[in-house]
Amino acid sequence: MMLSRLHARALPSAVRAMSGVAAGDNVGSLGASEVAVKMMAAPLGTKSMRGCGVVTGVGSGVSGIAVDDLVVAKSGLGAFRPVAKASASALAKVPAGIPVEYAGLIGAPCKAAGLLKGLKAGDVVVQSGADTLVGQSVVQMAKAAGITTISIVPSCPDQESVINILQTLGGDIVVPEQYALTWRFTRLLSDVPAPALAINYIASSTPEVPAAGTKPSKLRALVESASPDELTKIKVAMLTAKIASTTVTYGEADAYGDETAAEAYDSIGDVAELMKSNKLSLWVENYPPEDYEYATKKIAGPFCGMRAMVLKFSSECDIEELNWLNEA
């Protein structure tokens, strides 16, 4: 089930007056390894989200990507522009049948696939930050693979609704953070097999390891935002956590497990098949470019971690409508 909504608001006249195209947008001349892309959608929010578009031209040395293919950026690529030019190696081809608003978000379930790599049916996974796009993907992909999930969500006024949503998506056990810190959670864990994996989601510099008491055979950290010094502190905290037989991997949101951000997209085909078979869904809200301010305000609203705001560009979208966003 693919959830989407469309809203419309007026674009302020002062904003419409902004103009100008970045030099990098000149796609009249392509190098041998370069690709020209007409931007179609730009998710707002975390690093897991990338601009995506349709290929309009390829360099003489490009293979595996052709004109009219839908592609998503593996790394940073300014999406708020009518057209973009990028190296073919920086793009991933999105399988046919995936809507453009999902293409820019597909990095989140690809990241989940990387975190679950090596696990098998019957294994148990404990994860914090289960309300994020990655966490929701872990729940659904684990369900499809016969893996049991124990998910921890932030304690907040909406926590009961968040828990219900995750359970509907296939979460086996879902609890709020305050419960995970009690002896009741420890007793609950004693009733299931020892976790094969614990995923620690860290959205700030606080190097907490909420799954430390579960004694998993492997621990991976997914860090949303941290400086190099903070990353070092996080790694030290995980290494010194009292976890038996634990291997530690960590990194920023686009580096996790034993893979790089680019390698994560190797699973894009499997992720697309899960989406098309309705075994994997994401909460997406579509907005036209002129609704940028409204959409960014909603990012901080209820269920902010669970849903994604996507600016979806029409085929007739003009240069002026997109370039002002680069100044926002």
Side-chain angles (χ1 to χ4, degrees):
M1 176 178 59
M2 295 186 177
L3 308 175
S4 63
R5 302 173 185 173
L6 183 63
H7 300 264
R9 288 168 65 91
L11 179 66
S13 58
V15 172
R16 289 191 63 87
M18 297 182 182
S19 61
V21 180
D25 282 336
N26 181 3
V27 295
S29 177
L30 294 175
S33 62
E34 291 183 322
V35 176
V37 181
K38 177 177 175 57
M39 304 311 297
M40 299 299 293
L44 304 173
T46 74
K47 294 179 180 180
S48 302
M49 307 176 185
R50 303 295 185 192
C52 63
V54 174
V55 175
T56 59
V58 297
S60 59
V62 174
S63 61
I65 295 178
V67 171
D68 293 330
D69 283 345
L70 180 63
V71 294
V72 60
K74 295 179 183 179
S75 56
L77 174 66
F80 301 140
R81 61 185 75 186
V83 292
K85 183 166 63 175
S87 169
S89 63
L91 303 172
K93 179 180 175 180
V94 179
I98 302 300
V100 294
E101 58 266 37
Y102 279 80
L105 301 169
I106 207 164
C110 283
K111 188 175 286 124
L115 290 167
L116 294 172
K117 186 177 180 179
L119 271 63
K120 62 185 185 302
D123 283 343
V124 176
V125 174
V126 180
Q127 66 162 336
S128 63
D131 60 319
T132 63
L133 290 179
V134 175
Q136 294 172 67
S137 298
V138 165
V139 164
Q140 296 172 83
M141 297 173 80
K143 190 65 159 182
I147 298 168
T148 298
T149 55
I150 302 174
S151 299
I152 303 169
V153 300
S155 301
C156 64
D158 299 314
Q159 68 183 35
E160 288 303 318
S161 296
V162 171
I163 288 172
N164 289 336
I165 291 172
L166 287 171
Q167 289 175 332
T168 299
L169 292 176
D172 296 293
I173 299 173
V174 187
V175 300
E177 283 179 348
Q178 73 265 25
Y179 181 87
L181 299 175
T182 68
W183 62 269
R184 293 181 177 84
F185 184 62
T186 303
R187 186 173 66 181
L188 181 153
L189 290 172
S190 67
D191 294 331
V192 299
L197 171 68
I199 302 170
N200 185 38
Y201 178 80
I202 303 171
S204 69
S205 60
T206 305
E208 296 178 350
V209 187
T214 65
K215 293 183 172 58
S217 57
K218 182 174 289 187
L219 175 65
R220 289 174 173 169
L222 180 65
V223 183
E224 182 62 34
S225 178
S227 68
D229 287 344
E230 290 169 340
L231 285 174
T232 299
K233 292 178 182 178
I234 291 167
K235 184 178 182 181
V236 170
M238 294 179 71
L239 285 169
T240 56
K242 295 181 180 179
I243 303 175
S245 304
T246 298
T247 59
V248 178
T249 55
Y250 76 104
E252 292 187 295
D254 292 320
Y256 51 89
D258 302 313
E259 301 176 311
T260 65
E263 290 171 340
Y265 285 89
D266 290 345
S267 63
I268 195 169
D270 294 334
V271 168
E273 286 304 312
L274 287 172
M275 285 183 166
K276 290 188 284 187
S277 62
N278 293 324
K279 294 180 180 178
L280 174 63
S281 65
L282 301 174
W283 184 349
V284 181
E285 295 189 7
N286 291 327
Y287 295 87
E290 59 265 31
D291 224 359
Y292 173 79
E293 286 188 60
Y294 180 68
T296 52
K297 288 179 182 178
K298 290 198 70 177
I299 290 176
F303 307 107
C304 58
M306 303 198 75
R307 58 183 179 172
M309 308 299 169
V310 176
L311 298 187
K312 191 173 180 181
F313 312 142
S314 68
S315 57
E316 297 80 19
C317 194
D318 60 31
I319 290 175
E320 187 179 347
E321 278 188 315
L322 296 186
N323 284 302
W324 68 268
L325 292 172
N326 288 315
E327 307 297 329

